[in-house]
PDB file of all heavy atoms in Angstrom:
ATOM      1  N   VAL A  32       0.544  -3.272 -25.242  1.00 96.00           N
ATOM      2  CA  VAL A  32      -0.858  -3.706 -25.194  1.00 96.00           C
ATOM      3  C   VAL A  32      -1.708  -2.674 -24.452  1.00 96.00           C
ATOM      4  O   VAL A  32      -2.802  -2.306 -24.911  1.00 96.00           O
ATOM      5  CB  VAL A  32      -0.967  -5.090 -24.516  1.00 96.00           C
ATOM      6  CG1 VAL A  32      -2.428  -5.483 -24.326  1.00 96.00           C
ATOM      7  CG2 VAL A  32      -0.237  -6.144 -25.323  1.00 96.00           C
ATOM      8  N   SER A  35      -2.200   0.502 -26.558  1.00 95.00           N
ATOM      9  CA  SER A  35      -2.956   0.340 -27.796  1.00 95.00           C
ATOM     10  C   SER A  35      -4.416  -0.031 -27.577  1.00 95.00           C
ATOM     11  O   SER A  35      -5.238   0.095 -28.490  1.00 95.00           O
ATOM     12  CB  SER A  35      -2.295  -0.728 -28.675  1.00 95.00           C
ATOM     13  OG  SER A  35      -2.318  -1.999 -28.030  1.00 95.00           O
ATOM     14  N   ASP A  36      -4.757  -0.497 -26.391  1.00 94.00           N
ATOM     15  CA  ASP A  36      -6.134  -0.935 -26.125  1.00 94.00           C
ATOM     16  C   ASP A  36      -6.610  -0.317 -24.812  1.00 94.00           C
ATOM     17  O   ASP A  36      -6.236  -0.781 -23.733  1.00 94.00           O
ATOM     18  CB  ASP A  36      -6.194  -2.459 -26.040  1.00 94.00           C
ATOM     19  CG  ASP A  36      -7.616  -2.997 -26.015  1.00 94.00           C
ATOM     20  OD1 ASP A  36      -8.538  -2.212 -25.717  1.00 94.00           O
ATOM     21  OD2 ASP A  36      -7.809  -4.195 -26.293  1.00 94.00           O
ATOM     22  N   ARG A  38      -9.242  -0.592 -23.233  1.00 94.00           N
ATOM     23  CA  ARG A  38     -10.049  -1.481 -22.393  1.00 94.00           C
ATOM     24  C   ARG A  38      -9.199  -2.232 -21.374  1.00 94.00           C
ATOM     25  O   ARG A  38      -9.712  -2.695 -20.347  1.00 94.00           O
ATOM     26  CB  ARG A  38     -10.782  -2.502 -23.266  1.00 94.00           C
ATOM     27  CG  ARG A  38     -11.745  -1.938 -24.289  1.00 94.00           C
ATOM     28  CD  ARG A  38     -12.215  -3.051 -25.214  1.00 94.00           C
ATOM     29  NE  ARG A  38     -11.075  -3.690 -25.890  1.00 94.00           N
ATOM     30  CZ  ARG A  38     -11.153  -4.824 -26.581  1.00 94.00           C
ATOM     31  NH1 ARG A  38     -12.315  -5.460 -26.677  1.00 94.00           N
ATOM     32  NH2 ARG A  38     -10.087  -5.338 -27.168  1.00 94.00           N
ATOM     33  N   VAL A  39      -7.914  -2.380 -21.652  1.00 96.00           N
ATOM     34  CA  VAL A  39      -7.032  -3.213 -20.823  1.00 96.00           C
ATOM     35  C   VAL A  39      -6.542  -2.425 -19.607  1.00 96.00           C
ATOM     36  O   VAL A  39      -6.038  -1.309 -19.746  1.00 96.00           O
ATOM     37  CB  VAL A  39      -5.837  -3.729 -21.646  1.00 96.00           C
ATOM     38  CG1 VAL A  39      -4.883  -4.526 -20.769  1.00 96.00           C
ATOM     39  CG2 VAL A  39      -6.330  -4.582 -22.823  1.00 96.00           C
ATOM     40  N   LEU A  41      -4.745  -4.358 -17.086  1.00 97.00           N
ATOM     41  CA  LEU A  41      -3.592  -5.145 -16.631  1.00 97.00           C
ATOM     42  C   LEU A  41      -3.131  -6.026 -17.783  1.00 97.00           C
ATOM     43  O   LEU A  41      -3.947  -6.654 -18.458  1.00 97.00           O
ATOM     44  CB  LEU A  41      -3.948  -6.005 -15.420  1.00 97.00           C
ATOM     45  CG  LEU A  41      -2.836  -6.868 -14.796  1.00 97.00           C
ATOM     46  CD1 LEU A  41      -3.121  -7.109 -13.324  1.00 97.00           C
ATOM     47  CD2 LEU A  41      -2.684  -8.227 -15.492  1.00 97.00           C
ATOM     48  N   CYS A  42      -1.825  -6.077 -17.977  1.00 97.00           N
ATOM     49  CA  CYS A  42      -1.263  -6.957 -19.003  1.00 97.00           C
ATOM     50  C   CYS A  42      -0.079  -7.708 -18.420  1.00 97.00           C
ATOM     51  O   CYS A  42       0.777  -7.122 -17.750  1.00 97.00           O
ATOM     52  CB  CYS A  42      -0.829  -6.149 -20.227  1.00 97.00           C
ATOM     53  SG  CYS A  42      -0.185  -7.194 -21.573  1.00 97.00           S
ATOM     54  N   ILE A  63      -5.439 -16.005 -18.134  1.00 92.00           N
ATOM     55  CA  ILE A  63      -6.620 -15.146 -18.013  1.00 92.00           C
ATOM     56  C   ILE A  63      -6.471 -14.044 -19.054  1.00 92.00           C
ATOM     57  O   ILE A  63      -5.547 -13.238 -18.988  1.00 92.00           O
ATOM     58  CB  ILE A  63      -6.744 -14.545 -16.603  1.00 92.00           C
ATOM     59  CG1 ILE A  63      -6.902 -15.645 -15.553  1.00 92.00           C
ATOM     60  CG2 ILE A  63      -7.929 -13.588 -16.539  1.00 92.00           C
ATOM     61  CD1 ILE A  63      -6.921 -15.132 -14.129  1.00 92.00           C
ATOM     62  N   ASP A  64      -7.372 -14.016 -20.019  1.00 94.00           N
ATOM     63  CA  ASP A  64      -7.394 -12.961 -21.042  1.00 94.00           C
ATOM     64  C   ASP A  64      -8.856 -12.665 -21.334  1.00 94.00           C
ATOM     65  O   ASP A  64      -9.564 -13.501 -21.899  1.00 94.00           O
ATOM     66  CB  ASP A  64      -6.655 -13.401 -22.300  1.00 94.00           C
ATOM     67  CG  ASP A  64      -6.344 -12.228 -23.225  1.00 94.00           C
ATOM     68  OD1 ASP A  64      -7.240 -11.363 -23.403  1.00 94.00           O
ATOM     69  OD2 ASP A  64      -5.226 -12.165 -23.755  1.00 94.00           O
ATOM     70  N   THR A  65      -9.307 -11.492 -20.941  1.00 95.00           N
ATOM     71  CA  THR A  65     -10.736 -11.169 -20.986  1.00 95.00           C
ATOM     72  C   THR A  65     -11.060 -10.032 -21.950  1.00 95.00           C
ATOM     73  O   THR A  65     -12.075  -9.365 -21.816  1.00 95.00           O
ATOM     74  CB  THR A  65     -11.243 -10.800 -19.575  1.00 95.00           C
ATOM     75  OG1 THR A  65     -10.545  -9.625 -19.120  1.00 95.00           O
ATOM     76  CG2 THR A  65     -11.000 -11.928 -18.593  1.00 95.00           C
ATOM     77  N   ARG A  66     -10.219  -9.810 -22.932  1.00 94.00           N
ATOM     78  CA  ARG A  66     -10.391  -8.655 -23.817  1.00 94.00           C
ATOM     79  C   ARG A  66     -11.662  -8.713 -24.658  1.00 94.00           C
ATOM     80  O   ARG A  66     -12.180  -7.679 -25.062  1.00 94.00           O
ATOM     81  CB  ARG A  66      -9.164  -8.512 -24.722  1.00 94.00           C
ATOM     82  CG  ARG A  66      -7.999  -7.849 -24.050  1.00 94.00           C
ATOM     83  CD  ARG A  66      -6.778  -7.808 -24.933  1.00 94.00           C
ATOM     84  NE  ARG A  66      -6.094  -9.092 -24.992  1.00 94.00           N
ATOM     85  CZ  ARG A  66      -4.931  -9.286 -25.592  1.00 94.00           C
ATOM     86  NH1 ARG A  66      -4.327  -8.264 -26.187  1.00 94.00           N
ATOM     87  NH2 ARG A  66      -4.354 -10.485 -25.597  1.00 94.00           N
ATOM     88  N   SER A  67     -12.179  -9.890 -24.923  1.00 90.00           N
ATOM     89  CA  SER A  67     -13.355 -10.010 -25.788  1.00 90.00           C
ATOM     90  C   SER A  67     -14.665 -10.059 -25.013  1.00 90.00           C
ATOM     91  O   SER A  67     -15.725 -10.283 -25.605  1.00 90.00           O
ATOM     92  CB  SER A  67     -13.229 -11.274 -26.647  1.00 90.00           C
ATOM     93  OG  SER A  67     -13.200 -12.433 -25.815  1.00 90.00           O
ATOM     94  N   LEU A  68     -14.627  -9.834 -23.701  1.00 95.00           N
ATOM     95  CA  LEU A  68     -15.798 -10.053 -22.852  1.00 95.00           C
ATOM     96  C   LEU A  68     -16.340  -8.752 -22.262  1.00 95.00           C
ATOM     97  O   LEU A  68     -15.608  -7.771 -22.102  1.00 95.00           O
ATOM     98  CB  LEU A  68     -15.438 -11.010 -21.710  1.00 95.00           C
ATOM     99  CG  LEU A  68     -14.831 -12.357 -22.122  1.00 95.00           C
ATOM    100  CD1 LEU A  68     -14.408 -13.135 -20.881  1.00 95.00           C
ATOM    101  CD2 LEU A  68     -15.813 -13.166 -22.956  1.00 95.00           C
ATOM    102  N   ASP A  69     -17.633  -8.782 -21.885  1.00 95.00           N
ATOM    103  CA  ASP A  69     -18.216  -7.653 -21.166  1.00 95.00           C
ATOM    104  C   ASP A  69     -17.873  -7.775 -19.685  1.00 95.00           C
ATOM    105  O   ASP A  69     -17.232  -8.751 -19.253  1.00 95.00           O
ATOM    106  CB  ASP A  69     -19.723  -7.584 -21.383  1.00 95.00           C
ATOM    107  CG  ASP A  69     -20.456  -8.855 -20.927  1.00 95.00           C
ATOM    108  OD1 ASP A  69     -19.885  -9.630 -20.129  1.00 95.00           O
ATOM    109  OD2 ASP A  69     -21.588  -9.070 -21.374  1.00 95.00           O
ATOM    110  N   ARG A  73     -16.247 -10.893 -17.897  1.00 96.00           N
ATOM    111  CA  ARG A  73     -14.853 -10.683 -17.467  1.00 96.00           C
ATOM    112  C   ARG A  73     -14.677 -11.152 -16.033  1.00 96.00           C
ATOM    113  O   ARG A  73     -13.705 -11.826 -15.690  1.00 96.00           O
ATOM    114  CB  ARG A  73     -14.469  -9.204 -17.567  1.00 96.00           C
ATOM    115  CG  ARG A  73     -14.215  -8.674 -18.941  1.00 96.00           C
ATOM    116  CD  ARG A  73     -13.415  -7.382 -18.884  1.00 96.00           C
ATOM    117  NE  ARG A  73     -13.966  -6.400 -17.973  1.00 96.00           N
ATOM    118  CZ  ARG A  73     -14.725  -5.377 -18.327  1.00 96.00           C
ATOM    119  NH1 ARG A  73     -15.055  -5.213 -19.604  1.00 96.00           N
ATOM    120  NH2 ARG A  73     -15.159  -4.506 -17.434  1.00 96.00           N
ATOM    121  N   ALA A 124     -10.320  -4.946 -18.907  1.00 96.00           N
ATOM    122  CA  ALA A 124      -9.881  -6.282 -19.328  1.00 96.00           C
ATOM    123  C   ALA A 124      -8.486  -6.615 -18.806  1.00 96.00           C
ATOM    124  O   ALA A 124      -7.648  -5.732 -18.611  1.00 96.00           O
ATOM    125  CB  ALA A 124      -9.907  -6.379 -20.848  1.00 96.00           C
ATOM    126  N   ILE A 125      -8.256  -7.893 -18.589  1.00 96.00           N
ATOM    127  CA  ILE A 125      -6.932  -8.432 -18.306  1.00 96.00           C
ATOM    128  C   ILE A 125      -6.433  -9.082 -19.595  1.00 96.00           C
ATOM    129  O   ILE A 125      -7.171  -9.841 -20.235  1.00 96.00           O
ATOM    130  CB  ILE A 125      -6.981  -9.457 -17.167  1.00 96.00           C
ATOM    131  CG1 ILE A 125      -7.423  -8.779 -15.865  1.00 96.00           C
ATOM    132  CG2 ILE A 125      -5.617 -10.132 -16.980  1.00 96.00           C
ATOM    133  CD1 ILE A 125      -7.664  -9.747 -14.718  1.00 96.00           C
ATOM    134  N   ALA A 126      -5.211  -8.768 -19.984  1.00 96.00           N
ATOM    135  CA  ALA A 126      -4.660  -9.289 -21.236  1.00 96.00           C
ATOM    136  C   ALA A 126      -3.370 -10.053 -20.970  1.00 96.00           C
ATOM    137  O   ALA A 126      -2.631  -9.734 -20.030  1.00 96.00           O
ATOM    138  CB  ALA A 126      -4.387  -8.147 -22.218  1.00 96.00           C
ATOM    139  N   GLN A 127      -3.127 -11.051 -21.806  1.00 95.00           N
ATOM    140  CA  GLN A 127      -1.873 -11.786 -21.714  1.00 95.00           C
ATOM    141  C   GLN A 127      -1.119 -11.720 -23.042  1.00 95.00           C
ATOM    142  O   GLN A 127      -1.695 -11.935 -24.107  1.00 95.00           O
ATOM    143  CB  GLN A 127      -2.088 -13.257 -21.363  1.00 95.00           C
ATOM    144  CG  GLN A 127      -0.775 -13.983 -21.101  1.00 95.00           C
ATOM    145  CD  GLN A 127      -0.931 -15.495 -21.035  1.00 95.00           C
ATOM    146  OE1 GLN A 127      -1.447 -16.115 -21.948  1.00 95.00           O
ATOM    147  NE2 GLN A 127      -0.472 -16.081 -19.936  1.00 95.00           N
ATOM    148  N   VAL A 128       0.159 -11.391 -22.966  1.00 94.00           N
ATOM    149  CA  VAL A 128       1.043 -11.461 -24.123  1.00 94.00           C
ATOM    150  C   VAL A 128       1.427 -12.928 -24.310  1.00 94.00           C
ATOM    151  O   VAL A 128       1.933 -13.564 -23.378  1.00 94.00           O
ATOM    152  CB  VAL A 128       2.310 -10.600 -23.910  1.00 94.00           C
ATOM    153  CG1 VAL A 128       3.284 -10.777 -25.054  1.00 94.00           C
ATOM    154  CG2 VAL A 128       1.927  -9.133 -23.742  1.00 94.00           C
ATOM    155  N   LYS A 129       1.187 -13.455 -25.495  1.00 93.00           N
ATOM    156  CA  LYS A 129       1.425 -14.879 -25.747  1.00 93.00           C
ATOM    157  C   LYS A 129       2.893 -15.153 -26.044  1.00 93.00           C
ATOM    158  O   LYS A 129       3.255 -15.749 -27.064  1.00 93.00           O
ATOM    159  CB  LYS A 129       0.540 -15.349 -26.895  1.00 93.00           C
ATOM    160  CG  LYS A 129      -0.949 -15.233 -26.621  1.00 93.00           C
ATOM    161  CD  LYS A 129      -1.366 -16.056 -25.416  1.00 93.00           C
ATOM    162  CE  LYS A 129      -2.865 -15.962 -25.186  1.00 93.00           C
ATOM    163  NZ  LYS A 129      -3.292 -16.758 -23.996  1.00 93.00           N
TER     164      LYS A 129
END
Side-chain angles (χ1 to χ4, degrees):
V32 174
S35 63
D36 190 342
R38 299 171 302 168
V39 177
L41 181 153
C42 182
I63 298 175
D64 195 318
T65 62
R66 280 176 283 187
S67 63
L68 305 175
D69 59 19
R73 285 199 310 261
I125 296 173
Q127 187 192 55
V128 175
K129 298 300 182 180

